[in-house]
Amino acid sequence: MKRKKTFIGFLSVMMLMMIAAGCKDKPAASNDIHTSPEVQPVVTAVPASQEKPKDTVTDPAVPSPAAPPAAESDKVAKTSSDQDAGANPDGGSAAKDGAKSPAGKPKIQIDSPFTEAKPTLLGLSLKTGADEIKQRFGKPKEEFSMENDADPITVYDYGYFMVGFNGKNELQFIDVRSPEIDPGLNGLKLGDPAGEVTKALGKPDSNTSVVMTYKAKGAILKLDIDPKTQKVNSIKLFGA
């Protein structure tokens, strides 16, 4: 009986020892509850202006935008101050800004300038023959007829000036077309200010805001004035 109690007691001790050993191997529950929280890294917002610019990747398949065209003002060249005035076949103003004189400037020789007693223009007198004009200036750039007049006029256009002949082939009028040639009016040229007219030719016989005329022996010298610029834009000598 005593041995049986002793054996039971021994078993009880062994069981208690095994239970104690099992409790040591199991992690305490309190460790799961009181574990320190994980520390999160602090993120600081950086303003957009301080952010490092990102590298731009260029797609070779997409063409780069074309550079803006140069100012138009750069393409543009300077206008020469001595630019020619072009001829106007309809008899209008020849001194137009930006118009160019035709090539082949004729040689003008003034042997006798304009006077009331001996009216000339470009050194030419009225009633000069057509053949003499051709000998002096060569073949005209253009030749045409004015058929509307009772006495048809044949016109020789030399670009810088035009001359007209009546049915007898006598010089009937002279029309200066370019400021590059000297008309023989004491230094006055096409495109000069209207105030220079009286200095060169004296007081006109007729003077309006647009026309100044000088009566001479068998001829009339007519100067048209541009009302906007107040410059001479036409010089003509024709039979009275």
Side-chain angles (χ1 to χ4, degrees):
M1 187 68 179
K2 289 182 180 180
R3 289 182 179 179
K4 186 176 181 179
K5 291 181 179 179
T6 302
F7 179 74
I8 293 173
F10 177 77
L11 289 176
S12 299
V13 172
M14 290 296 294
M15 289 181 65
L16 290 172
M17 291 176 65
M18 290 177 64
I19 292 172
C23 291
K24 290 181 180 180
D25 295 335
K26 185 178 180 181
S30 60
N31 292 339
D32 296 336
I33 298 175
H34 300 286
T35 302
S36 300
E38 183 179 358
V39 178
Q40 299 294 330
V42 178
V43 179
T44 304
V46 179
S49 60
Q50 297 181 6
E51 291 183 359
K52 184 178 179 180
K54 297 182 180 179
D55 295 334
T56 302
V57 179
T58 303
D59 186 354
V62 180
S64 301
E72 196 64 23
S73 58
D74 296 335
K75 298 180 179 179
V76 180
K78 289 185 181 180
T79 304
S80 175
S81 60
D82 58 352
Q83 198 169 22
D84 301 337
N88 188 356
D90 62 6
S93 170
K96 294 184 178 179
D97 295 338
K100 291 184 178 180
S101 296
K105 180 179 177 180
K107 184 178 179 180
I108 306 297
Q109 182 177 349
I110 307 298
D111 294 327
S112 57
F114 174 88
T115 62
E116 291 184 3
K118 190 177 181 180
T120 62
L121 194 60
L122 301 175
L124 303 175
S125 300
L126 296 180
K127 296 187 178 181
T128 302
D131 292 339
E132 185 178 343
I133 297 297
K134 284 185 177 180
Q135 289 177 0
R136 186 167 180 175
F137 300 109
K139 184 179 180 180
K141 297 180 180 297
E142 185 180 357
E143 181 178 340
F144 58 92
S145 297
M146 299 171 63
E147 302 291 350
N148 293 333
D149 298 331
D151 184 8
I153 300 294
T154 301
V155 179
Y156 290 178
D157 185 355
Y158 285 93
Y160 290 80
F161 65 91
M162 293 194 302
V163 290
F165 303 90
N166 58 22
K168 298 179 181 180
N169 282 333
E170 295 176 339
L171 189 58
Q172 186 70 23
F173 76 83
I174 306 163
D175 184 1
V176 178
R177 314 289 287 178
S178 171
E180 287 196 358
I181 57 176
D182 182 6
L185 299 176
N186 299 320
L188 182 70
K189 293 183 179 181
L190 200 68
D192 284 350
E196 297 296 321
V197 176
T198 55
K199 294 180 181 179
L201 302 173
K203 184 179 178 181
D205 293 289
S206 175
N207 186 5
T208 68
S209 59
V210 293
V211 178
M212 301 174 73
T213 58
Y214 291 84
K215 294 180 180 180
K217 185 178 180 181
I220 294 177
L221 177 65
K222 178 185 176 184
L223 300 97
D224 294 334
I225 309 300
D226 189 320
K228 293 183 179 179
T229 63
Q230 285 298 300
K231 292 183 178 181
V232 179
N233 67 359
S234 176
I235 301 176
K236 297 177 182 178
L237 180 70
F238 51 89

